Amino acid sequence: MSLDPLLLAGLALLVLLAVLAIRTAMFRTRQVAVRGIDAPDLDPEAPRRLARALQFKTITQRDPSEIDADAYRAYREYLEEAFPKVHDAMDRTEINEHSILYRWEGTDSDSGSVVLAAHYDVVPVDAPDQWDHGPFDGVIEDDFVYGRGALDDKASAIALFESMEMLIAAGYSPRRTVYLAIGHDEEVGGEDGAAAIADYLEQHGVSPSVVIDEGGAITVGAVPDVSEPVALVGVAEKGYLSVEIRADGMGGHSSIPPEQTSIDVVTTAVQRLRDNPLRASLSGVTGETLQFIAPEMGPAGKTAFANLWLLRGLITWALTKDPTTDAAIRTTTAPTILDAGVKDNVVPSTARAVVNFRIRPSESVKDVMDHVRSQLSDLPITLHPQQQGEPTRVSPMNDEWFDLVQRTIREVADGVVVAPFLVPGTTDSRHYASISEHVYRFAPFRLTEDDKHRIHGINERISISCYRTMIAYYMQIVRNADALGDAPGSDGAASEAPEVTAHERSA
Ligand SMILES: [Zn+2]
């Protein structure tokens, strides 16, 4: 007996549809269920304290000797005046003069520590007259606090103090030691600030259970097919490599041009690197991002991501079509400098280009150099690696510390979807990755498309309701961390945890 081929094909299609449907139905949410908590009553003076902090011109400079040291000093004195309880309860250490580390001793010296990090330097303002309010006036208008640093990152820096001040006022004593790590040079790499703070902690034998820093926010309308806001928690940062490509010794008169000029060679090299980028892949952090977000999507998105076994290639291809998602799934290749020639009738003897790569965590500086060499091996050029840094390690996305951050966000910001993500840029937190396995980059302010342009841009501002959420978040991080039982030396297993234990995961 032989079956009709059409019938066979029909049966196969039915089976395929059934598999797709079953896998989609089994695609469970990765969002933990929580009971929301009410944000604490905010002292009416709190927004004004933030506004005042925005008035100090703690403007970053490439050359550290050029900063206005008086402004930095005045800012630190202001902290003492504005947050007396913190300054009573915590020890304070100045690091490289301008960075500050506060230590609030925990009641259980064996239970590890929590580092809450932020920075108080800000980028310069290039068009002050285009602001509605002076960038350093610290104006409050219509539920917004305006000023340079309102989002990046003085809101976090001041919310940290405000939240600790409130915990102290409420009589709270932390079980785990709490550090506030306030850097002063994040915008120029954090070498004198966060890197030195991390060194200091390491020298004092501190390896924090968790580090919370800036890097992610609550995005509004940024993720297609998800109606709720999505809180993106940075779990790693990309690496960095700039490579100079040079072609030398090919000059001549432009009336009889040589067969190959230095400009030809360098532009060919750049074009070849652009045409042959490093491979895009859904594995790694961005793959996990999708696993957290996709179950919250509409039926089409859910079906697609529940069935990566079938659609991985297609989805990867689709993600490469948008520069933002493309950057999330591969090491990017960006030509940034092109330099040759001095006179219109001279074929320059030298041409140079610089190409900047942002390296995803599964690749390294060496992998990228190998790729560049193999792509350009036949060209008469020399390669000169310049600034470089490896990608950070990836903090866990499936353990109790990620859960703690996720739970805390959902407690203070009702109804948001939480997902880990790969931070495309760099922050101070890369320096803490060497002393803690758990570094999470997130502050719970809402970020619309419009707000994104305000960071490092014009009319930077934060709403007072977001600011209130930030304060609630830092308070709750400390409380939830204290409730989590994983004292070092207890080999990380479920130790004598207080009542609030890690919840059941539903995924
Ligand atoms: Zn920042």
Side-chain angles (χ1 to χ4, degrees):
M1 186 180 77
S2 71
L3 279 172
D4 183 339
L6 212 59
L7 182 64
L8 261 182
L11 275 175
L13 187 63
L14 273 181
V15 171
L16 179 65
L17 287 176
V19 172
L20 292 178
I22 290 168
R23 290 191 65 101
T24 307
M26 285 169 57
F27 200 32
R28 294 255 181 267
T29 181
R30 300 283 284 270
Q31 304 305 309
V32 297
V34 299
R35 218 174 311 141
I37 58 162
D38 292 330
D41 288 335
L42 199 59
D43 176 351
E45 284 301 309
R48 271 191 279 277
R49 282 193 282 269
L50 171 61
R52 176 84 184 88
L54 301 183
Q55 294 174 357
F56 296 90
K57 293 184 174 171
T58 52
I59 303 167
T60 211
Q61 302 289 344
R62 274 270 152 225
D63 178 353
S65 69
E66 283 175 17
I67 62 168
D68 179 355
D70 287 341
Y72 282 68
R73 204 168 298 122
Y75 179 90
R76 295 196 302 281
E77 284 165 12
Y78 167 68
L79 293 177
E80 282 179 59
E81 165 202 321
F83 304 106
K85 294 189 178 68
V86 166
H87 287 81
D88 264 358
M90 300 193 189
D91 302 327
R92 160 167 144 155
T93 306
E94 295 193 348
I95 299 203
N96 283 334
E97 187 179 351
H98 297 302
S99 280
I100 8 175
L101 180 66
Y102 290 79
R103 181 176 185 277
W104 190 9
E105 170 122 30
T107 53
D108 176 0
S109 55
D110 289 334
S111 66
S113 57
V114 172
V115 171
L116 304 172
H119 65 91
Y120 73 96
D121 58 317
V122 297
V123 292
V125 174
D126 59 354
D129 46 324
Q130 290 182 38
W131 286 60
D132 293 342
H133 307 286
F136 295 97
D137 288 354
V139 168
I140 300 178
E141 189 182 80
D142 299 337
D143 191 46
F144 286 96
V145 182
Y146 283 83
R148 172 59 86 230
L151 291 169
D152 179 15
D153 181 38
K154 277 181 177 167
S156 281
I158 298 297
L160 281 178
F161 285 95
E162 205 70 60
S163 59
M164 296 306 114
E165 194 84 358
M166 287 173 74
L167 283 177
I168 296 165
Y172 190 82
S173 354
R175 181 167 74 91
R176 296 173 194 271
T177 297
V178 175
Y179 291 93
L180 307 184
I182 314 295
H184 75 279
D185 63 345
E186 190 272 350
E187 299 291 358
V188 288
E191 287 302 328
D192 290 338
I197 295 174
D199 283 349
Y200 177 93
L201 289 170
E202 191 172 19
Q203 281 158 21
H204 288 75
V206 179
S207 69
S209 307
V210 69
V211 177
I212 306 287
D213 195 2
E214 64 168 349
I218 300 176
T219 61
V220 181
V223 182
D225 207 19
V226 177
S227 50
E228 294 85 6
V230 178
L232 293 173
V233 179
V235 293
E237 290 177 16
K238 286 180 120 177
Y240 190 103
L241 172 66
S242 287
V243 183
E244 185 193 42
I245 301 166
R246 290 183 69 100
D248 290 301
M250 300 171 140
H253 198 284
S254 66
S255 58
I256 308 176
E259 207 174 313
Q260 197 174 38
T261 70
S262 57
I263 290 180
D264 298 332
V265 173
V266 165
T267 52
T268 300
V270 169
Q271 193 59 51
R272 201 180 285 171
L273 293 175
R274 288 285 288 165
D275 291 343
N276 299 281
L278 287 103
R279 201 171 61 87
S281 166
L282 280 192
S283 64
V285 175
T286 302
E288 277 297 301
T289 307
L290 297 169
Q291 293 301 309
F292 276 77
I293 290 176
E296 318 308 319
M297 288 180 159
K302 217 171 179 171
T303 308
F305 287 103
N307 290 284
L308 281 179
W309 62 278
L310 181 66
L311 300 170
R312 180 176 291 270
L314 190 66
I315 291 172
T316 308
W317 174 82
L319 292 174
T320 62
K321 297 296 143 197
D322 176 276
T324 307
T325 46
D326 187 54
I329 58 173
R330 78 159 96 232
T331 296
T332 50
T333 304
T336 50
I337 296 174
L338 192 56
D339 186 14
V342 286
K343 201 163 180 305
D344 72 308
N345 64 350
V346 176
V347 175
S349 58
T350 293
R352 64 184 278 270
V354 175
V355 179
N356 179 245
F357 297 89
R358 300 299 177 103
I359 308 166
R360 70 189 191 102
S362 54
E363 287 162 350
S364 66
V365 168
K366 179 179 177 303
D367 292 336
V368 176
M369 272 316 290
D370 289 349
H371 168 81
V372 172
R373 280 196 195 96
S374 78
Q375 289 294 328
L376 309 182
S377 59
D378 61 321
L379 295 175
I381 50 160
T382 52
L383 296 173
H384 308 271
Q386 300 180 327
Q387 292 88 330
Q388 54 188 279
E390 296 291 350
T392 65
R393 74 164 130 188
V394 178
S395 295
M397 295 170 269
N398 292 299
D399 76 352
E400 75 267 29
W401 286 103
F402 185 82
D403 278 3
L404 172 127
V405 175
Q406 188 189 37
R407 195 167 67 237
T408 307
I409 295 168
R410 285 170 60 82
E411 281 171 346
V412 300
D414 211 18
V416 304
V417 171
V418 179
F421 93 116
L422 175 60
V423 179
T426 57
T427 72
D428 266 349
S429 58
R430 66 171 42 244
H431 301 297
Y432 297 112
S434 61
I435 58 165
S436 178
E437 195 190 335
H438 298 92
V439 180
Y440 297 112
R441 301 146 176 94
F442 178 81
F445 55 80
R446 284 174 194 253
L447 206 59
T448 60
E449 259 322 293
D450 169 61
D451 295 323
K452 264 190 212 161
H453 303 296
R454 296 173 188 266
I455 295 180
H456 291 202
I458 294 162
N459 288 331
E460 189 176 347
R461 66 178 190 184
I462 187 168
S463 75
I464 291 174
S465 62
C466 278
Y467 186 56
R468 201 163 95 122
T469 306
M470 291 174 81
I471 293 168
Y473 169 74
Y474 292 122
M475 291 172 77
Q476 193 65 357
I477 283 276
V478 170
R479 290 198 201 101
N480 284 343
D482 278 346
L484 198 71
D486 79 330
S490 65
D491 49 46
S495 52
E496 50 335 318
E499 304 81 87
V500 185
T501 52
H503 53 271
E504 289 293 313
R505 285 207 65 87
S506 52

